[in-house]
Amino acid sequence: MRMSQLLFSTLREVPSEAEAESHVLLLKAGMIRRLAAGVYALMPLGFRVFKKIENSIREEMDAAGAQELVMSAFLPAEYYQQSGRWDVFGTEMVKFKDRNGRDFCLGPTHEEIFAHVLRPEMQSYKAMPRTVYQIQTKYRDERRPRFGMIRCREFVMKDAYSFDVDEAGLDESYNKMYDAYCKIFDRCGLDYVVVQADTGAMGGSGSQEFMVKSDIGDDTIVSCPKCGYAANAELAACPDPVASLDEEMKAVEKVHTPNVGTIAELVGFFGLAADKFAKTLLYVADGEIIAAMIRGDREINETKLKNFLKCTNLDLASPAEVREATGAEVGFAGPIGLKKVKRIIADKEVPLMRNFLIGANETDYHFININYGRDFTADDVADIRLFEHGDPCPVCGAAADLAKTIEVGHIFKLGTKYSVAMGCMYLDQDAQQKPCVMGSYGIGLNRTMQAIIEQSHDEDGIIWPDSVAPYSAIVVPVSIANDTQRELAEQVYQKLCEAGIETLIDDRDERAGVKFKDADLIGIPHRINVGRRAAEGIVEYKQRRADKAEEMTVDEAIQRIVETVRKANVKRFG
Ligand SMILES: [Zn+2]
């Protein structure tokens, strides 16, 4: 492809909307263009990368015996109503009415649809095991779209679904997908970790996420350097707290704390550490207000809380709801004298605290010297806090690490939840009717593409791995006005194309510096500069990852590129 013909433009300025380095680079390199918050167009260079990721996924899914098909994205409400997820998705689901006033949505995920559509094929035990997949656009109206394609509202997902007669069959189908996912992410050149994931909201017997470490990740994982335990932090069990109850219980006092509502303000006002406070947070769980108590220096783990309550929707209470429940302004909630709360759940550290401080449910007042059991009790005591860096590993007790991650893939043993809801039943060998045992397996393509950049870039731009680069090589005639350089560059370009290397030639009438900058920004792995030694047949070969260019003959340079690209392809198909 000739750069003079390529539909492409780069940005010199850092776009103000972009917060993450990978997002900045995608925009600066002209790979994507923003249409609305969380909605992006893929431009030609970006789309080439995207299609390579898509092809890697398709080839590995096919190799694992999965069959491709495609469902619609325009879907009637009834199937999601049948499973109960029409309400669970809430406002994240893009819902609308058709011209006849019937409810529809744009599909956010397709478990129900596959279970419904494939019923006729799954009527006998003989039809299974079966795994099917699609690569299709999904829609989720995210509350806060962020970081470009990491959390966006329209994205392409590969979603696969397995159908088996029993749990043992599911385990086998699941393991096949696990292996295929490892191959896919290896091919994408990603450094990833596989962690245990929560199964709470969807039910199911097991789940793992493929995570890429990155500071812009939405997820946090716990990993143990000693035993190898790795889990999503929302799942990781916190250690049992150690009591420090040697302190005498003191008498409760009510203290006037004008305009002192946050933990930071309380720390300043009382001159006490945050772990001497217990904060009380109010939530609306499926329409009812509940209170969750936790030590002042800890964070609530909303997934654990949600799973404990077995509720489908959990949101922080609004200021108006807080005022109604406590009779006070926000910042003064406590467990004593709540007016309108269904249950109080205390984290398991709270009963072991001594002489601590709580809100008094009265604006500008707190109680000090509170003790659990003497002054109040909760309805339940449970592990509802977030695992912290250095907390002991739930398996071996060694200090565990925390890391932010981007979830690129998720595999899930669903069990029979959706087959039962959708009536996806089969007859077994004894003519007994049973629900199919399902698994679901997703990969977000857009975020995988961006995660590759998160892991592979420098101050000059993107560094694409050979396997997904939009083009493998770029030929740059240093001076387009010089006939010798231009002609040799054209020959090199032809030879590379003939050798099957996807190649760009920068035939634009631009300064060499501009061309080099652009080639680095868009991340082409191999560059050949045709410059002052063109007459001798000598060119410069520069790898995007390397610091320096090397001089060599045209044939040597071409051979280096062909060998490297072929090796990357062998890895792809090996
Ligand atoms: Zn461990």
Side-chain angles (χ1 to χ4, degrees):
M1 174 54 108
R2 296 179 176 278
M3 289 287 272
S4 60
Q5 306 296 309
L6 182 65
L7 181 74
F8 137 91
S9 60
T10 55
L11 299 176
R12 295 288 165 229
E13 301 295 312
V14 175
S16 59
E17 86 227 39
E19 302 154 281
E21 192 62 19
S22 52
H23 186 197
V24 169
L25 288 174
L26 279 167
L27 290 165
K28 280 182 79 175
M31 303 255 167
I32 64 170
R33 199 159 291 165
R34 181 183 183 272
L35 288 160
V39 184
Y40 291 88
L42 282 166
M43 303 303 281
L45 281 178
F47 190 47
R48 286 181 73 92
V49 175
F50 189 86
K51 281 192 293 185
K52 290 192 176 175
I53 296 170
E54 181 180 333
N55 285 339
S56 302
I57 294 172
R58 179 172 288 118
E59 283 165 8
E60 296 300 341
M61 293 305 290
D62 291 348
Q67 294 178 49
E68 186 172 12
L69 51 74
V70 64
M71 299 288 175
S72 80
F74 187 113
L75 296 164
E78 59 194 87
Y79 304 117
Y80 294 96
Q81 285 162 345
Q82 215 171 318
S83 73
R85 281 210 293 184
W86 184 256
D87 295 323
V88 173
F89 271 111
T91 49
E92 199 180 293
M93 199 182 222
V94 180
K95 297 173 180 172
F96 59 96
K97 287 187 191 298
D98 72 359
R99 64 174 67 227
N100 300 313
R102 286 175 24 197
D103 286 318
F104 277 81
C105 72
L106 294 177
T109 175
H110 279 68
E111 282 79 4
E112 290 85 347
I113 309 305
F114 274 77
H116 170 77
V117 171
L118 298 183
R119 280 189 310 176
E121 279 76 18
M122 301 300 161
Q123 284 176 2
S124 159
Y125 71 96
K126 290 177 195 157
M128 284 172 275
R130 207 55 102 216
T131 298
V132 288
Y133 74 100
Q134 62 176 351
I135 298 175
Q136 191 223 29
T137 307
K138 303 276 189 247
Y139 299 87
R140 291 184 195 171
D141 193 2
E142 293 278 351
R143 189 176 306 193
R144 277 199 322 142
R146 272 190 94 184
F147 302 130
M149 301 196 297
I150 295 294
R151 199 195 302 165
C152 50
R153 300 196 286 178
E154 183 190 83
F155 56 94
V156 174
M157 186 163 144
K158 186 287 298 172
D159 46 331
Y161 304 88
S162 63
F163 296 80
D164 279 281
V165 294
D166 55 21
E167 283 286 333
L170 171 60
D171 287 347
E172 224 166 282
S173 299
Y174 180 93
N175 290 341
K176 272 189 194 162
M177 287 296 110
Y178 178 98
D179 292 340
Y181 274 39
C182 291
K183 287 180 186 156
I184 289 164
F185 294 122
D186 285 342
R187 279 175 65 164
C188 291
L190 280 170
D191 180 15
Y192 58 91
V193 276
V194 189
V195 304
Q196 290 174 35
D198 178 50
T199 55
M202 285 167 94
S205 55
S207 173
Q208 283 164 299
E209 288 161 327
F210 288 71
M211 296 289 208
V212 171
K213 286 185 188 174
S214 162
D215 289 338
I216 62 164
D218 273 344
D219 285 282
T220 305
I221 62 161
V222 174
S223 58
C224 173
K226 199 170 161 206
C227 75
Y229 169 82
N232 193 311
E234 39 182 45
L235 183 77
C238 291
D240 280 327
V242 183
S244 56
L245 299 180
D246 45 352
E247 206 178 306
E248 287 282 306
M249 285 196 201
K250 296 180 188 161
V252 177
E253 283 177 51
K254 189 155 128 186
V255 182
H256 189 217
T257 52
N259 299 316
V260 177
T262 67
I263 288 291
E265 287 164 352
L266 285 163
V267 166
F269 185 88
F270 286 97
L272 292 170
D275 64 4
K276 293 298 286 180
F277 302 80
K279 54 187 173 189
T280 304
L281 286 98
L282 298 177
Y283 284 91
V284 181
D286 289 346
E288 285 179 326
I289 297 193
I290 64 107
M293 286 189 76
I294 191 154
R295 214 169 78 181
D297 58 333
R298 304 297 198 188
E299 295 298 328
I300 297 249
N301 180 330
E302 291 183 357
T303 303
K304 285 183 186 171
L305 182 58
K306 203 169 160 178
N307 290 345
F308 180 79
L309 293 166
K310 294 188 171 58
C311 64
T312 45
N313 286 304
L314 182 75
D315 292 298
L316 271 175
S318 68
E321 286 162 335
V322 171
R323 280 193 286 270
E324 201 186 336
T326 64
E329 287 302 317
V330 175
F332 302 95
I336 301 171
L338 281 166
K339 293 181 168 42
K340 195 193 141 188
V341 165
K342 176 90 176 166
R343 297 158 86 167
I344 301 174
I345 296 104
D347 180 67
K348 58 188 184 181
E349 284 184 328
V350 173
L352 296 177
M353 293 170 69
R354 185 54 58 93
N355 297 324
F356 56 97
L357 203 143
I358 58 172
N361 294 320
E362 189 179 331
T363 303
D364 291 343
Y365 284 93
H366 282 82
F367 289 123
I368 60 169
N369 297 331
I370 292 295
N371 289 283
Y372 187 89
R374 182 191 71 177
D375 305 314
F376 76 98
T377 53
D379 297 289
D380 300 282
V381 175
D383 173 15
I384 56 168
R385 80 166 169 93
L386 267 186
F387 199 93
E388 287 182 4
H389 190 80
D391 273 340
C393 163
V395 175
C396 77
D401 295 325
L402 282 190
K404 288 233 175 247
T405 55
I406 300 166
E407 180 202 315
V408 289
H410 194 175
I411 54 178
F412 205 120
K413 292 179 187 173
L414 292 174
T416 56
K417 173 174 172 166
Y418 293 97
S419 41
V420 168
M422 309 311 291
C424 186
M425 313 293 275
Y426 72 95
L427 289 180
D428 73 4
Q429 274 158 298
D430 307 317
Q432 296 289 311
Q433 203 175 44
K434 289 180 176 166
C436 295
V437 182
M438 290 175 66
S440 83
Y441 316 91
I443 293 178
L445 275 74
N446 307 66
R447 53 165 55 196
T448 296
M449 175 172 162
Q450 195 171 331
I452 294 171
I453 303 176
E454 266 304 301
Q455 280 194 339
S456 186
H457 69 269
D458 62 15
E459 65 278 11
D460 296 321
I462 302 168
I463 308 175
W464 291 116
D466 280 292
S467 55
V468 299
Y471 290 89
S472 299
I474 183 165
V475 182
V476 182
V478 172
S479 165
I480 201 84
N482 180 311
D483 290 344
T484 315
Q485 291 184 20
R486 200 183 58 240
E487 278 160 24
L488 184 62
E490 288 290 342
Q491 284 172 27
V492 174
Y493 173 61
Q494 288 307 329
K495 282 186 181 173
L496 281 167
C497 291
E498 280 161 18
I501 304 297
E502 296 172 339
T503 308
L504 286 168
I505 179 165
D506 199 342
D507 56 343
R508 298 175 300 168
D509 187 10
E510 291 278 2
R511 285 182 296 112
V514 171
K515 295 182 185 180
F516 296 158
K517 259 196 154 59
D518 281 349
D520 282 352
L521 177 59
I522 63 179
I524 305 302
H526 308 274
R527 168 153 58 93
I528 293 181
N529 303 329
V530 182
R532 60 189 172 81
R533 297 187 68 186
E536 305 161 62
I538 302 290
V539 295
E540 278 182 353
Y541 168 62
K542 165 91 171 57
Q543 281 200 10
R544 178 66 182 85
R545 283 181 195 282
D547 293 332
K548 283 201 175 74
E550 299 169 63
E551 283 197 335
M552 57 186 75
T553 65
V554 167
D555 288 342
E556 279 173 327
I558 291 174
Q559 201 190 341
R560 288 277 286 273
I561 294 174
V562 169
E563 275 173 12
T564 314
V565 173
R566 203 165 282 161
K567 228 181 260 171
N569 285 335
V570 168
K571 214 169 82 190
R572 276 169 66 182
F573 300 111

